[in-house]
Amino acid sequence: MSPDTISRFVSEIQREHPGMLYTEDGGRILLKLGGVEFPRGCVPAVTEALVVLDATQPKPRLLVKHKPKTPGSVDPRNVNPEAIAGDSWFGFSYNIAWDESRHTARQFVEGAMRRFAKDE
Amino acid sequence: MNNLQIRIPKGVGQRLFKEVIRHGPREPVVFGLVTHASTATKEIVLVRDIRIPPEDAYLPSLGHGARWSGRYMIDLLNEATATRCGLLIFHFHGGSAVRMSSDDSESARQLLPKFQVIVPNRPHGSVVLGTHSVAGAILLPRTDRLETAFSMRQFDKRILDWPMPIASKKERQLFERQPLVRGRLTAAAISASRVAVVGQSGGGTHVSLQLAQHGFGEIWGVDDDYVDQGNRFSGIGFGEKDAAAGKRKVTVLRRAISRIAPRVRYVGLKARVPEQVAIDALKQADVIVGCVNNLHARADLQEIASRYCIPYVDIGLILPTDQASPEEFPPVRAISGNIFTYVPGDVCMWCTGFLSEEKLAGETLGRGRPYLQTKHGADAHVLSFNGVLASQAVNDVVNLVVGYVGETGPIAYRKYDGFKGSLIPCDVKRSEKCMMCSRNSAAGDAIWGTRIISQLSTVA
């Protein structure tokens, strides 16, 4: 991700989530977002989320504080705890289409959260 | 024991002491750029790096004490703001019961609140060092009270704690020259230590039971697994009935330790790294021993150890086979193991390539792997091989606490060859280019804020 994209991403997220918390951790930018909604039918319905912006990586990463049950009450596969900046978050792999010249931060967050709409 | 501790990584501490004890026209001072961490039992101030004022930063002084220019101070505060660090001012008085002078105290009362206005979310302090003692004043974030009761931990050839326990000259000599003798200082150092052992199976059972027999004060076992008929042969202490009853590994170990060492407190954590409960527990450890079977867990443990300045001893064992072989039972090519002993500030697993992004990416999301690398992943008789590695890991823990190795200090990396029965030390060095050392060393807890402070602030 280019520094310009990272700057744009932070600005967009800040507008979408005015209570966003920010920190820098060894070259990475970490954004903590409250009240991020899981897809309809997931339990819990909302969670705290962490966005990791790293200039050495091609796209942002989204991690969630809670591992939800999917709409079909399934424990989602390959959602594993990860230690980031001394805290535990749940990371997951999801092949989200990301074109940094085109996509917005909102599209990224919503797209990543859609992983939990699937009962797998 | 008080609940505020300054931790200084290896290398940083040596540079600091070399400067503050330097003879010159005035008392030399050294500034520490510090982060901090909060645990359930302790506040920890972590020295990330130090700054030694150049000669032209000092101003003429009437007494022996040091004065420095406002310009130098502003530069330092700018750096502290940019790196989100607090400032500690170190100087040296010497002696075994050092105290702040009235000038030191007055200067701390004036300066530290000003530092706090500029960097409010990190601690600031003034610290005077003695030969075996430390004194000073520390202003923690969100308080206006100067804390004067604290200890200091430096990582060198072993863990060095200030103030040292009061002891006679004979007791101190015995501890320094024959630290494995069960003298008062050795027993005190061991019984005051809390060791977290992650993984309570093959290597972890040996480690926990040996630490208990040594008399370590607290052992925190981290494992969420149960004893079964397959895994009970990889370590010691798990009985046939435990497997039949499906008991938790930590439950069985707590029972065994309470029998062999009733004074040792064993805390069994039914958790897996990096779950939050495990991270919160590990932050409170004096030493971490990792007996895990995957690289992701090692990476997590390495990060926790680096961030919070906790020594970390890692062991691992594997019996590789030719997995491409068409044979049903391809021969075991080796019995390979490792012991990696990380001392904060020194070479880490990323410096050596033991951990890398490629290796992590290559590890399946299923993570854990069996000892024997076959298509069947069959259980194997590895108990005694684990025992060799675990015994050396416990040796390294004992060495970190009492320093029996002497001049050379801990060996960072040893390879184990189970066919030959050999443990070979490997020459590894800290890489100045290691991104993980740069990111994590003494990084402490992240400071979250609504304000964006980097160069992004001009854009965002």
Side-chain angles (χ1 to χ4, degrees):
Chain A
M1 292 176 76
S2 72
D4 284 350
T5 304
I6 291 177
S7 298
R8 174 176 64 79
F9 196 102
V10 173
S11 302
E12 288 174 6
I13 287 271
Q14 209 165 22
R15 277 198 298 275
E16 293 282 331
H17 299 266
M20 173 196 92
L21 293 176
Y22 170 100
T23 195
E24 288 174 44
D25 186 64
R28 298 179 300 185
I29 289 168
L30 308 179
L31 310 174
K32 208 189 273 188
L33 318 177
V36 176
E37 292 180 2
F38 283 116
R40 189 185 295 266
C42 286
V43 177
V46 293
T47 185
E48 210 175 21
L50 181 77
V51 178
V52 181
L53 300 167
D54 186 339
T56 66
Q57 298 299 318
K59 57 183 171 185
R61 282 195 72 209
L62 186 90
L63 300 96
V64 291
K65 198 68 189 175
H66 300 99
K67 184 179 186 175
K69 292 278 188 199
T70 62
S73 294
V74 172
D75 207 7
R77 277 189 296 147
N78 296 335
V79 180
N80 295 306
E82 289 184 36
I84 294 188
D87 272 326
S88 184
W89 295 87
F90 284 100
F92 53 96
S93 58
Y94 184 58
N95 195 18
I96 181 170
W98 169 256
D99 178 347
E100 70 176 74
S101 65
R102 206 158 54 87
H103 288 123
T104 64
R106 181 181 191 165
Q107 285 172 318
F108 168 76
V109 172
E110 288 179 355
M113 294 299 279
R114 271 201 294 277
R115 180 265 170 265
F116 297 106
K118 296 179 182 175
D119 289 330
E120 59 182 36
Chain B
M1 190 175 75
N2 55 54
N3 56 6
L4 174 59
Q5 184 177 63
I6 300 171
R7 291 187 185 167
I8 310 180
K10 193 173 178 180
V12 175
Q14 283 82 342
R15 285 191 287 130
L16 190 159
F17 274 89
K18 189 178 169 193
E19 175 62 16
V20 292
I21 62 171
R22 184 173 58 86
H23 289 287
R26 74 187 75 75
E27 241 174 28
V29 295
V30 171
F31 291 91
L33 290 162
V34 301
T35 62
H36 77 294
S38 297
T39 74
T41 52
K42 211 173 239 183
E43 291 289 322
I44 307 164
V45 177
L46 301 138
V47 181
R48 282 212 91 177
D49 208 348
I50 56 167
R51 295 290 176 262
I52 297 171
E55 272 308 310
D56 62 6
Y58 286 104
L59 297 175
S61 171
L62 290 174
H64 187 63
R67 292 174 63 228
W68 51 90
S69 70
R71 185 186 183 85
Y72 182 72
M73 193 74 253
I74 288 167
D75 287 348
L76 263 180
L77 286 166
N78 281 337
E79 185 178 8
T81 306
T83 55
R84 293 193 165 192
C85 283
L87 282 179
L88 290 193
I89 309 166
F90 291 97
H91 70 287
F92 183 78
H93 283 179
S96 56
V98 76
R99 296 172 71 173
M100 293 272 275
S101 69
S102 55
D103 282 354
D104 293 335
S105 298
E106 185 52 34
S107 150
R109 270 194 294 275
Q110 287 184 17
L111 282 178
L112 303 186
K114 291 177 184 163
F115 292 174
Q116 193 182 50
V117 169
I118 296 166
V119 186
N121 294 319
R122 290 296 193 194
H124 305 279
S126 176
V127 176
V128 53
L129 302 167
T131 314
H132 297 301
S133 59
V134 62
I138 293 177
L139 187 58
L140 290 169
R142 296 175 298 281
T143 67
D144 54 7
R145 199 163 66 90
L146 290 173
E147 298 287 343
T148 55
F150 62 89
S151 62
M152 193 177 84
R153 171 167 290 184
Q154 188 199 347
F155 297 96
D156 198 326
K157 295 178 185 98
R158 65 177 175 88
I159 298 168
L160 298 167
D161 282 338
W162 278 264
M164 291 182 182
I166 294 166
S168 69
K169 195 175 168 189
K170 265 191 167 179
E171 285 172 329
R172 209 170 288 289
Q173 273 184 348
L174 176 66
F175 181 66
E176 283 165 7
R177 294 177 188 175
Q178 298 179 351
L180 289 178
V181 171
R182 285 192 60 80
R184 196 170 68 83
L185 289 180
T186 296
I190 287 177
S191 65
S193 298
R194 175 185 293 154
V195 185
V197 186
V198 183
Q200 294 287 263
S201 199
T205 54
H206 288 274
V207 170
S208 292
L209 291 168
Q210 287 192 31
L211 290 172
Q213 199 72 291
H214 267 295
F216 278 83
E218 287 190 27
I219 300 163
W220 289 27
V222 182
D223 202 312
D224 68 347
D225 202 5
Y226 298 85
V227 181
D228 63 35
Q229 294 297 350
N231 64 30
R232 80 180 186 85
F233 295 102
S234 60
I236 51 171
F238 296 152
E240 204 172 324
K241 286 181 182 170
D242 298 322
K247 290 201 171 159
R248 281 195 187 267
K249 291 173 177 176
V250 292
T251 305
V252 178
L253 277 170
R254 186 176 60 229
R255 184 192 63 201
I257 286 172
S258 68
R259 191 170 52 80
I260 62 172
R263 286 185 201 163
V264 172
R265 181 168 176 247
Y266 179 86
V267 178
L269 288 164
K270 297 155 194 164
R272 187 177 284 234
V273 170
E275 291 170 7
Q276 195 67 53
V277 63
I279 292 177
D280 292 344
L282 293 172
K283 281 168 69 174
Q284 300 177 56
D286 295 300
V287 181
I288 298 170
V289 182
C291 310
V292 295
N293 63 358
N294 69 85
L295 294 176
H296 280 87
R298 288 187 166 90
D300 291 332
L301 292 173
Q302 176 67 72
E303 176 174 343
I304 292 163
S306 299
R307 288 192 88 91
Y308 302 108
C309 288
I310 305 167
Y312 167 40
V313 183
D314 173 88
I315 59 172
L317 181 77
I318 194 159
L319 282 61
T321 61
D322 182 0
Q323 289 182 296
S325 167
E327 293 178 57
E328 187 178 2
F329 303 111
V332 173
R333 284 191 285 113
I335 300 173
S336 302
N338 70 273
I339 301 168
F340 198 104
T341 296
Y342 166 75
V343 176
D346 208 346
V347 54
C348 81
M349 288 187 176
W350 293 90
C351 292
T352 61
F354 189 95
L355 286 173
S356 67
E357 294 292 355
E358 293 73 26
K359 286 182 181 174
L360 288 177
E363 192 173 72
T364 59
L365 284 172
R367 295 190 168 195
R369 54 157 177 73
Y371 290 103
L372 185 62
Q373 285 192 314
T374 64
K375 291 170 189 132
H376 314 293
D379 294 317
H381 283 273
V382 290
L383 179 148
S384 47
F385 301 101
N386 275 326
V388 173
L389 294 168
S391 292
Q392 186 55 51
V394 174
N395 289 346
D396 281 7
V397 176
V398 172
N399 184 43
L400 284 162
V401 173
V402 303
Y404 69 81
V405 170
E407 284 308 302
T408 56
I411 289 169
Y413 187 29
R414 294 182 187 85
K415 280 185 179 171
Y416 174 60
D417 180 339
F419 283 169
K420 291 180 183 164
S422 61
L423 271 171
I424 309 290
C426 303
D427 189 22
V428 288
K429 294 211 161 36
R430 178 176 173 153
S431 165
E432 294 307 317
K433 293 177 186 167
C434 176
M435 289 300 292
M436 292 302 177
C437 283
S438 151
R439 171 188 292 174
N440 295 327
S441 186
D445 289 340
I447 296 296
W448 295 93
T450 50
R451 215 173 102 223
I452 296 165
I453 58 153
S454 75
Q455 64 277 13
L456 279 170
S457 57
T458 57
V459 185

